[in-house]
Amino acid sequence: MYSSVPPMPELPEVETVMRGLQHRLQGRTISRAVLHRADLRFPFPPGLAKRLTGARIIGFRRRAKYILMRLAGGHSLLIHLGMSGRMLLGPAHPNAPVLHEHMVLETDDGWRVGFIDPRRFGAVDLVPTETEDAHRLLIGLGPEPLEKTFDPAVLGASLANRRTPLKAALLDQRTIAGLGNIYVCEALFRARLSPRRLACTVTGPRVERLVAAIKLTLGEAIAAGGSSLRDYVQPGGELGYFQHAWKVYGRPGQPCERCPGQPACPGVRRITQSGRSTFYCPRTQR
Ligand SMILES: [Zn+2]
């Protein structure tokens, strides 16, 4: 039921996909761009294929779960993988249709990258590089959790007036950008904080623990992607993603790593919060 591959890309998966794109595409020129439909979650910008063709790719940036592919000429291609988006890399050759492939970029050195998204919650847009952060999908986002500016003071101030469960506050992208269901569960386990605790009660040492746990959980997942994939590409050509060993996510009833031998250990508990599954250790997360 809970596979080891995340059902939805979160920050570490997007970072890993971006590094794969960067490794293969940076400095290359898009020799051909093909769109197989007019929209994903939103319509593609007018003339997108034509505007991409001939453009040189000069850099990459990730903001939350968005990839920004920066093009010479001052625009960035914004890519959101949505719920089911994947990037497939392979040598360019004709007559190679792939199911649910909506956008294809071919490069001057003979590679092709396809954007595959069966559920079509993904998004693609063009935005002036200078004003990337003003894009309507980015403008309301909270701080990047891996940046130095995300610290206990920032998170503490953001949680101070929130009378919602801590998990809901952390899933709110205005509090912190890029966290989703899985990494929130894992970070709360590490921080020994209950997902049910009122957000506004997370102060002092608790908020320090939580910030450290979020950074460690995300950092480890990104490092795992880097060490388990060659150039961030899977053997089948898929960019990013990798096997994870979750500590609590998807492990209902099992003792967590802190609990073996504890007679009072009830095992990892699964509850539903805001319609999503939460996994936590009721003995050690308070
Ligand atoms: Zn436990």
Side-chain angles (χ1 to χ4, degrees), residues 189 248 254-260 262 265-268 280-285:
F189 172 74
V248 287
Q254 299 177 30
C256 79
E257 66 183 25
R258 292 196 287 249
C259 285
Q262 287 287 335
C265 174
V268 171
Y280 73 108
C281 169
R283 191 180 77 84
T284 63
Q285 288 178 254

mmCIF file with all atom_site columns, all heavy atoms in Angstrom, residues 189 248 254-260 262 265-268 280-285, ligand 1:
data_model
loop_
_atom_site.group_PDB
_atom_site.id
_atom_site.type_symbol
_atom_site.label_atom_id
_atom_site.label_alt_id
_atom_site.label_comp_id
_atom_site.label_asym_id
_atom_site.label_entity_id
_atom_site.label_seq_id
_atom_site.pdbx_PDB_ins_code
_atom_site.Cartn_x
_atom_site.Cartn_y
_atom_site.Cartn_z
_atom_site.occupancy
_atom_site.B_iso_or_equiv
_atom_site.pdbx_formal_charge
_atom_site.auth_seq_id
_atom_site.auth_comp_id
_atom_site.auth_asym_id
_atom_site.auth_atom_id
_atom_site.pdbx_PDB_model_num
ATOM   1   N  N   . PHE A 1 189 ? 8.911  13.155 13.515 1.00 0.00 ? 189 PHE A N   1
ATOM   2   C  CA  . PHE A 1 189 ? 9.434  12.001 14.263 1.00 0.00 ? 189 PHE A CA  1
ATOM   3   C  C   . PHE A 1 189 ? 10.827 12.332 14.804 1.00 0.00 ? 189 PHE A C   1
ATOM   4   O  O   . PHE A 1 189 ? 11.123 12.134 15.973 1.00 0.00 ? 189 PHE A O   1
ATOM   5   C  CB  . PHE A 1 189 ? 9.478  10.770 13.361 1.00 0.00 ? 189 PHE A CB  1
ATOM   6   C  CG  . PHE A 1 189 ? 10.191 9.605  14.005 1.00 0.00 ? 189 PHE A CG  1
ATOM   7   C  CD1 . PHE A 1 189 ? 9.588  8.871  15.015 1.00 0.00 ? 189 PHE A CD1 1
ATOM   8   C  CD2 . PHE A 1 189 ? 11.481 9.262  13.620 1.00 0.00 ? 189 PHE A CD2 1
ATOM   9   C  CE1 . PHE A 1 189 ? 10.253 7.812  15.630 1.00 0.00 ? 189 PHE A CE1 1
ATOM   10  C  CE2 . PHE A 1 189 ? 12.152 8.204  14.224 1.00 0.00 ? 189 PHE A CE2 1
ATOM   11  C  CZ  . PHE A 1 189 ? 11.535 7.482  15.233 1.00 0.00 ? 189 PHE A CZ  1
ATOM   12  N  N   . VAL A 1 248 ? 8.941  6.455  9.910  1.00 0.00 ? 248 VAL A N   1
ATOM   13  C  CA  . VAL A 1 248 ? 7.561  6.223  10.372 1.00 0.00 ? 248 VAL A CA  1
ATOM   14  C  C   . VAL A 1 248 ? 6.561  6.167  9.222  1.00 0.00 ? 248 VAL A C   1
ATOM   15  O  O   . VAL A 1 248 ? 5.554  5.443  9.302  1.00 0.00 ? 248 VAL A O   1
ATOM   16  C  CB  . VAL A 1 248 ? 7.089  7.311  11.380 1.00 0.00 ? 248 VAL A CB  1
ATOM   17  C  CG1 . VAL A 1 248 ? 7.782  7.112  12.722 1.00 0.00 ? 248 VAL A CG1 1
ATOM   18  C  CG2 . VAL A 1 248 ? 7.316  8.715  10.842 1.00 0.00 ? 248 VAL A CG2 1
ATOM   19  N  N   . GLN A 1 254 ? 4.328  -0.957 13.315 1.00 0.00 ? 254 GLN A N   1
ATOM   20  C  CA  . GLN A 1 254 ? 5.702  -1.411 13.556 1.00 0.00 ? 254 GLN A CA  1
ATOM   21  C  C   . GLN A 1 254 ? 6.341  -0.552 14.652 1.00 0.00 ? 254 GLN A C   1
ATOM   22  O  O   . GLN A 1 254 ? 6.026  0.623  14.764 1.00 0.00 ? 254 GLN A O   1
ATOM   23  C  CB  . GLN A 1 254 ? 6.536  -1.285 12.276 1.00 0.00 ? 254 GLN A CB  1
ATOM   24  C  CG  . GLN A 1 254 ? 6.006  -2.110 11.125 1.00 0.00 ? 254 GLN A CG  1
ATOM   25  C  CD  . GLN A 1 254 ? 6.823  -1.900 9.850  1.00 0.00 ? 254 GLN A CD  1
ATOM   26  O  OE1 . GLN A 1 254 ? 8.011  -1.627 9.911  1.00 0.00 ? 254 GLN A OE1 1
ATOM   27  N  NE2 . GLN A 1 254 ? 6.164  -2.010 8.715  1.00 0.00 ? 254 GLN A NE2 1
ATOM   28  N  N   . PRO A 1 255 ? 7.228  -1.153 15.440 1.00 0.00 ? 255 PRO A N   1
ATOM   29  C  CA  . PRO A 1 255 ? 7.929  -0.314 16.409 1.00 0.00 ? 255 PRO A CA  1
ATOM   30  C  C   . PRO A 1 255 ? 8.853  0.645  15.661 1.00 0.00 ? 255 PRO A C   1
ATOM   31  O  O   . PRO A 1 255 ? 9.479  0.261  14.669 1.00 0.00 ? 255 PRO A O   1
ATOM   32  C  CB  . PRO A 1 255 ? 8.736  -1.308 17.254 1.00 0.00 ? 255 PRO A CB  1
ATOM   33  C  CG  . PRO A 1 255 ? 8.796  -2.559 16.456 1.00 0.00 ? 255 PRO A CG  1
ATOM   34  C  CD  . PRO A 1 255 ? 7.664  -2.551 15.476 1.00 0.00 ? 255 PRO A CD  1
ATOM   35  N  N   . CYS A 1 256 ? 8.911  1.900  16.095 1.00 0.00 ? 256 CYS A N   1
ATOM   36  C  CA  . CYS A 1 256 ? 9.852  2.824  15.471 1.00 0.00 ? 256 CYS A CA  1
ATOM   37  C  C   . CYS A 1 256 ? 11.254 2.489  15.958 1.00 0.00 ? 256 CYS A C   1
ATOM   38  O  O   . CYS A 1 256 ? 11.423 1.696  16.875 1.00 0.00 ? 256 CYS A O   1
ATOM   39  C  CB  . CYS A 1 256 ? 9.483  4.262  15.806 1.00 0.00 ? 256 CYS A CB  1
ATOM   40  S  SG  . CYS A 1 256 ? 10.010 4.775  17.443 1.00 0.00 ? 256 CYS A SG  1
ATOM   41  N  N   . GLU A 1 257 ? 12.250 3.122  15.380 1.00 0.00 ? 257 GLU A N   1
ATOM   42  C  CA  . GLU A 1 257 ? 13.637 2.755  15.728 1.00 0.00 ? 257 GLU A CA  1
ATOM   43  C  C   . GLU A 1 257 ? 13.998 3.119  17.162 1.00 0.00 ? 257 GLU A C   1
ATOM   44  O  O   . GLU A 1 257 ? 14.990 2.637  17.683 1.00 0.00 ? 257 GLU A O   1
ATOM   45  C  CB  . GLU A 1 257 ? 14.613 3.422  14.745 1.00 0.00 ? 257 GLU A CB  1
ATOM   46  C  CG  . GLU A 1 257 ? 14.639 4.937  14.854 1.00 0.00 ? 257 GLU A CG  1
ATOM   47  C  CD  . GLU A 1 257 ? 15.550 5.590  13.821 1.00 0.00 ? 257 GLU A CD  1
ATOM   48  O  OE1 . GLU A 1 257 ? 15.770 4.978  12.770 1.00 0.00 ? 257 GLU A OE1 1
ATOM   49  O  OE2 . GLU A 1 257 ? 16.012 6.709  14.086 1.00 0.00 ? 257 GLU A OE2 1
ATOM   50  N  N   . ARG A 1 258 ? 13.187 3.974  17.800 1.00 0.00 ? 258 ARG A N   1
ATOM   51  C  CA  . ARG A 1 258 ? 13.479 4.350  19.185 1.00 0.00 ? 258 ARG A CA  1
ATOM   52  C  C   . ARG A 1 258 ? 12.836 3.397  20.185 1.00 0.00 ? 258 ARG A C   1
ATOM   53  O  O   . ARG A 1 258 ? 13.114 3.471  21.369 1.00 0.00 ? 258 ARG A O   1
ATOM   54  C  CB  . ARG A 1 258 ? 12.961 5.771  19.458 1.00 0.00 ? 258 ARG A CB  1
ATOM   55  C  CG  . ARG A 1 258 ? 13.734 6.844  18.700 1.00 0.00 ? 258 ARG A CG  1
ATOM   56  C  CD  . ARG A 1 258 ? 13.490 8.249  19.273 1.00 0.00 ? 258 ARG A CD  1
ATOM   57  N  NE  . ARG A 1 258 ? 12.168 8.743  18.944 1.00 0.00 ? 258 ARG A NE  1
ATOM   58  C  CZ  . ARG A 1 258 ? 11.969 9.761  18.103 1.00 0.00 ? 258 ARG A CZ  1
ATOM   59  N  NH1 . ARG A 1 258 ? 12.976 10.362 17.520 1.00 0.00 ? 258 ARG A NH1 1
ATOM   60  N  NH2 . ARG A 1 258 ? 10.746 10.172 17.856 1.00 0.00 ? 258 ARG A NH2 1
ATOM   61  N  N   . CYS A 1 259 ? 11.944 2.531  19.688 1.00 0.00 ? 259 CYS A N   1
ATOM   62  C  CA  . CYS A 1 259 ? 11.086 1.786  20.609 1.00 0.00 ? 259 CYS A CA  1
ATOM   63  C  C   . CYS A 1 259 ? 11.359 0.296  20.786 1.00 0.00 ? 259 CYS A C   1
ATOM   64  O  O   . CYS A 1 259 ? 10.727 -0.299 21.651 1.00 0.00 ? 259 CYS A O   1
ATOM   65  C  CB  . CYS A 1 259 ? 9.626  1.973  20.211 1.00 0.00 ? 259 CYS A CB  1
ATOM   66  S  SG  . CYS A 1 259 ? 9.004  3.610  20.652 1.00 0.00 ? 259 CYS A SG  1
ATOM   67  N  N   . PRO A 1 260 ? 12.230 -0.355 20.015 1.00 0.00 ? 260 PRO A N   1
ATOM   68  C  CA  . PRO A 1 260 ? 12.357 -1.795 20.228 1.00 0.00 ? 260 PRO A CA  1
ATOM   69  C  C   . PRO A 1 260 ? 12.677 -2.113 21.689 1.00 0.00 ? 260 PRO A C   1
ATOM   70  O  O   . PRO A 1 260 ? 13.464 -1.417 22.319 1.00 0.00 ? 260 PRO A O   1
ATOM   71  C  CB  . PRO A 1 260 ? 13.531 -2.189 19.325 1.00 0.00 ? 260 PRO A CB  1
ATOM   72  C  CG  . PRO A 1 260 ? 13.543 -1.173 18.263 1.00 0.00 ? 260 PRO A CG  1
ATOM   73  C  CD  . PRO A 1 260 ? 13.105 0.105  18.942 1.00 0.00 ? 260 PRO A CD  1
ATOM   74  N  N   . GLN A 1 262 ? 10.737 -1.731 24.137 1.00 0.00 ? 262 GLN A N   1
ATOM   75  C  CA  . GLN A 1 262 ? 9.931  -0.930 25.053 1.00 0.00 ? 262 GLN A CA  1
ATOM   76  C  C   . GLN A 1 262 ? 8.592  -1.623 25.259 1.00 0.00 ? 262 GLN A C   1
ATOM   77  O  O   . GLN A 1 262 ? 7.794  -1.694 24.325 1.00 0.00 ? 262 GLN A O   1
ATOM   78  C  CB  . GLN A 1 262 ? 9.687  0.466  24.473 1.00 0.00 ? 262 GLN A CB  1
ATOM   79  C  CG  . GLN A 1 262 ? 10.900 1.363  24.493 1.00 0.00 ? 262 GLN A CG  1
ATOM   80  C  CD  . GLN A 1 262 ? 11.224 1.833  25.890 1.00 0.00 ? 262 GLN A CD  1
ATOM   81  O  OE1 . GLN A 1 262 ? 10.349 1.881  26.751 1.00 0.00 ? 262 GLN A OE1 1
ATOM   82  N  NE2 . GLN A 1 262 ? 12.482 2.144  26.140 1.00 0.00 ? 262 GLN A NE2 1
ATOM   83  N  N   . CYS A 1 265 ? 5.522  0.276  24.081 1.00 0.00 ? 265 CYS A N   1
ATOM   84  C  CA  . CYS A 1 265 ? 5.474  0.784  22.711 1.00 0.00 ? 265 CYS A CA  1
ATOM   85  C  C   . CYS A 1 265 ? 4.257  0.264  21.956 1.00 0.00 ? 265 CYS A C   1
ATOM   86  O  O   . CYS A 1 265 ? 4.105  -0.931 21.771 1.00 0.00 ? 265 CYS A O   1
ATOM   87  C  CB  . CYS A 1 265 ? 6.743  0.373  21.960 1.00 0.00 ? 265 CYS A CB  1
ATOM   88  S  SG  . CYS A 1 265 ? 6.651  0.820  20.219 1.00 0.00 ? 265 CYS A SG  1
ATOM   89  N  N   . PRO A 1 266 ? 3.378  1.146  21.538 1.00 0.00 ? 266 PRO A N   1
ATOM   90  C  CA  . PRO A 1 266 ? 2.209  0.710  20.780 1.00 0.00 ? 266 PRO A CA  1
ATOM   91  C  C   . PRO A 1 266 ? 2.492  0.573  19.284 1.00 0.00 ? 266 PRO A C   1
ATOM   92  O  O   . PRO A 1 266 ? 1.604  0.219  18.522 1.00 0.00 ? 266 PRO A O   1
ATOM   93  C  CB  . PRO A 1 266 ? 1.206  1.827  21.038 1.00 0.00 ? 266 PRO A CB  1
ATOM   94  C  CG  . PRO A 1 266 ? 2.056  3.049  21.242 1.00 0.00 ? 266 PRO A CG  1
ATOM   95  C  CD  . PRO A 1 266 ? 3.397  2.598  21.750 1.00 0.00 ? 266 PRO A CD  1
ATOM   96  N  N   . GLY A 1 267 ? 3.687  0.871  18.848 1.00 0.00 ? 267 GLY A N   1
ATOM   97  C  CA  . GLY A 1 267 ? 3.996  0.857  17.415 1.00 0.00 ? 267 GLY A CA  1
ATOM   98  C  C   . GLY A 1 267 ? 3.615  2.177  16.770 1.00 0.00 ? 267 GLY A C   1
ATOM   99  O  O   . GLY A 1 267 ? 2.956  3.025  17.380 1.00 0.00 ? 267 GLY A O   1
ATOM   100 N  N   . VAL A 1 268 ? 4.058  2.354  15.535 1.00 0.00 ? 268 VAL A N   1
ATOM   101 C  CA  . VAL A 1 268 ? 3.751  3.589  14.809 1.00 0.00 ? 268 VAL A CA  1
ATOM   102 C  C   . VAL A 1 268 ? 2.245  3.669  14.588 1.00 0.00 ? 268 VAL A C   1
ATOM   103 O  O   . VAL A 1 268 ? 1.626  2.697  14.172 1.00 0.00 ? 268 VAL A O   1
ATOM   104 C  CB  . VAL A 1 268 ? 4.505  3.624  13.456 1.00 0.00 ? 268 VAL A CB  1
ATOM   105 C  CG1 . VAL A 1 268 ? 4.028  4.781  12.599 1.00 0.00 ? 268 VAL A CG1 1
ATOM   106 C  CG2 . VAL A 1 268 ? 6.013  3.715  13.687 1.00 0.00 ? 268 VAL A CG2 1
ATOM   107 N  N   . TYR A 1 280 ? 3.050  8.470  13.203 1.00 0.00 ? 280 TYR A N   1
ATOM   108 C  CA  . TYR A 1 280 ? 3.920  8.975  14.273 1.00 0.00 ? 280 TYR A CA  1
ATOM   109 C  C   . TYR A 1 280 ? 4.024  7.964  15.387 1.00 0.00 ? 280 TYR A C   1
ATOM   110 O  O   . TYR A 1 280 ? 3.231  7.009  15.469 1.00 0.00 ? 280 TYR A O   1
ATOM   111 C  CB  . TYR A 1 280 ? 3.416  10.328 14.773 1.00 0.00 ? 280 TYR A CB  1
ATOM   112 C  CG  . TYR A 1 280 ? 2.155  10.276 15.617 1.00 0.00 ? 280 TYR A CG  1
ATOM   113 C  CD1 . TYR A 1 280 ? 2.193  10.507 16.989 1.00 0.00 ? 280 TYR A CD1 1
ATOM   114 C  CD2 . TYR A 1 280 ? 0.920  9.970  15.042 1.00 0.00 ? 280 TYR A CD2 1
ATOM   115 C  CE1 . TYR A 1 280 ? 1.044  10.462 17.759 1.00 0.00 ? 280 TYR A CE1 1
ATOM   116 C  CE2 . TYR A 1 280 ? -0.223 9.915  15.799 1.00 0.00 ? 280 TYR A CE2 1
ATOM   117 C  CZ  . TYR A 1 280 ? -0.172 10.167 17.167 1.00 0.00 ? 280 TYR A CZ  1
ATOM   118 O  OH  . TYR A 1 280 ? -1.297 10.104 17.926 1.00 0.00 ? 280 TYR A OH  1
ATOM   119 N  N   . CYS A 1 281 ? 5.015  8.171  16.241 1.00 0.00 ? 281 CYS A N   1
ATOM   120 C  CA  . CYS A 1 281 ? 5.221  7.316  17.409 1.00 0.00 ? 281 CYS A CA  1
ATOM   121 C  C   . CYS A 1 281 ? 4.602  8.010  18.616 1.00 0.00 ? 281 CYS A C   1
ATOM   122 O  O   . CYS A 1 281 ? 5.145  9.010  19.084 1.00 0.00 ? 281 CYS A O   1
ATOM   123 C  CB  . CYS A 1 281 ? 6.701  7.074  17.637 1.00 0.00 ? 281 CYS A CB  1
ATOM   124 S  SG  . CYS A 1 281 ? 7.024  6.306  19.240 1.00 0.00 ? 281 CYS A SG  1
ATOM   125 N  N   . PRO A 1 282 ? 3.472  7.494  19.125 1.00 0.00 ? 282 PRO A N   1
ATOM   126 C  CA  . PRO A 1 282 ? 2.816  8.188  20.234 1.00 0.00 ? 282 PRO A CA  1
ATOM   127 C  C   . PRO A 1 282 ? 3.617  8.141  21.535 1.00 0.00 ? 282 PRO A C   1
ATOM   128 O  O   . PRO A 1 282 ? 3.382  8.942  22.435 1.00 0.00 ? 282 PRO A O   1
ATOM   129 C  CB  . PRO A 1 282 ? 1.486  7.461  20.387 1.00 0.00 ? 282 PRO A CB  1
ATOM   130 C  CG  . PRO A 1 282 ? 1.603  6.200  19.614 1.00 0.00 ? 282 PRO A CG  1
ATOM   131 C  CD  . PRO A 1 282 ? 2.735  6.328  18.647 1.00 0.00 ? 282 PRO A CD  1
ATOM   132 N  N   . ARG A 1 283 ? 4.590  7.226  21.624 1.00 0.00 ? 283 ARG A N   1
ATOM   133 C  CA  . ARG A 1 283 ? 5.375  7.148  22.863 1.00 0.00 ? 283 ARG A CA  1
ATOM   134 C  C   . ARG A 1 283 ? 6.431  8.254  22.928 1.00 0.00 ? 283 ARG A C   1
ATOM   135 O  O   . ARG A 1 283 ? 6.640  8.864  23.957 1.00 0.00 ? 283 ARG A O   1
ATOM   136 C  CB  . ARG A 1 283 ? 6.058  5.778  22.975 1.00 0.00 ? 283 ARG A CB  1
ATOM   137 C  CG  . ARG A 1 283 ? 6.676  5.537  24.383 1.00 0.00 ? 283 ARG A CG  1
ATOM   138 C  CD  . ARG A 1 283 ? 7.335  4.193  24.462 1.00 0.00 ? 283 ARG A CD  1
ATOM   139 N  NE  . ARG A 1 283 ? 8.643  4.195  23.799 1.00 0.00 ? 283 ARG A NE  1
ATOM   140 C  CZ  . ARG A 1 283 ? 9.775  4.585  24.359 1.00 0.00 ? 283 ARG A CZ  1
ATOM   141 N  NH1 . ARG A 1 283 ? 9.790  5.021  25.594 1.00 0.00 ? 283 ARG A NH1 1
ATOM   142 N  NH2 . ARG A 1 283 ? 10.896 4.557  23.671 1.00 0.00 ? 283 ARG A NH2 1
ATOM   143 N  N   . THR A 1 284 ? 7.079  8.517  21.783 1.00 0.00 ? 284 THR A N   1
ATOM   144 C  CA  . THR A 1 284 ? 8.217  9.440  21.837 1.00 0.00 ? 284 THR A CA  1
ATOM   145 C  C   . THR A 1 284 ? 7.935  10.804 21.191 1.00 0.00 ? 284 THR A C   1
ATOM   146 O  O   . THR A 1 284 ? 8.769  11.695 21.251 1.00 0.00 ? 284 THR A O   1
ATOM   147 C  CB  . THR A 1 284 ? 9.457  8.835  21.149 1.00 0.00 ? 284 THR A CB  1
ATOM   148 O  OG1 . THR A 1 284 ? 9.177  8.640  19.766 1.00 0.00 ? 284 THR A OG1 1
ATOM   149 C  CG2 . THR A 1 284 ? 9.837  7.499  21.762 1.00 0.00 ? 284 THR A CG2 1
ATOM   150 N  N   . GLN A 1 285 ? 6.798  10.955 20.541 1.00 0.00 ? 285 GLN A N   1
ATOM   151 C  CA  . GLN A 1 285 ? 6.474  12.252 19.939 1.00 0.00 ? 285 GLN A CA  1
ATOM   152 C  C   . GLN A 1 285 ? 5.401  12.925 20.784 1.00 0.00 ? 285 GLN A C   1
ATOM   153 O  O   . GLN A 1 285 ? 4.260  12.448 20.844 1.00 0.00 ? 285 GLN A O   1
ATOM   154 C  CB  . GLN A 1 285 ? 6.000  12.077 18.492 1.00 0.00 ? 285 GLN A CB  1
ATOM   155 C  CG  . GLN A 1 285 ? 7.112  11.698 17.536 1.00 0.00 ? 285 GLN A CG  1
ATOM   156 C  CD  . GLN A 1 285 ? 6.640  11.485 16.120 1.00 0.00 ? 285 GLN A CD  1
ATOM   157 O  OE1 . GLN A 1 285 ? 6.554  10.371 15.644 1.00 0.00 ? 285 GLN A OE1 1
ATOM   158 N  NE2 . GLN A 1 285 ? 6.304  12.589 15.431 1.00 0.00 ? 285 GLN A NE2 1
HETATM 159 ZN ZN  . ZN  B 2 .   ? 8.297  4.604  18.889 1.00 0.00 ? 1   ZN  B ZN  1
#
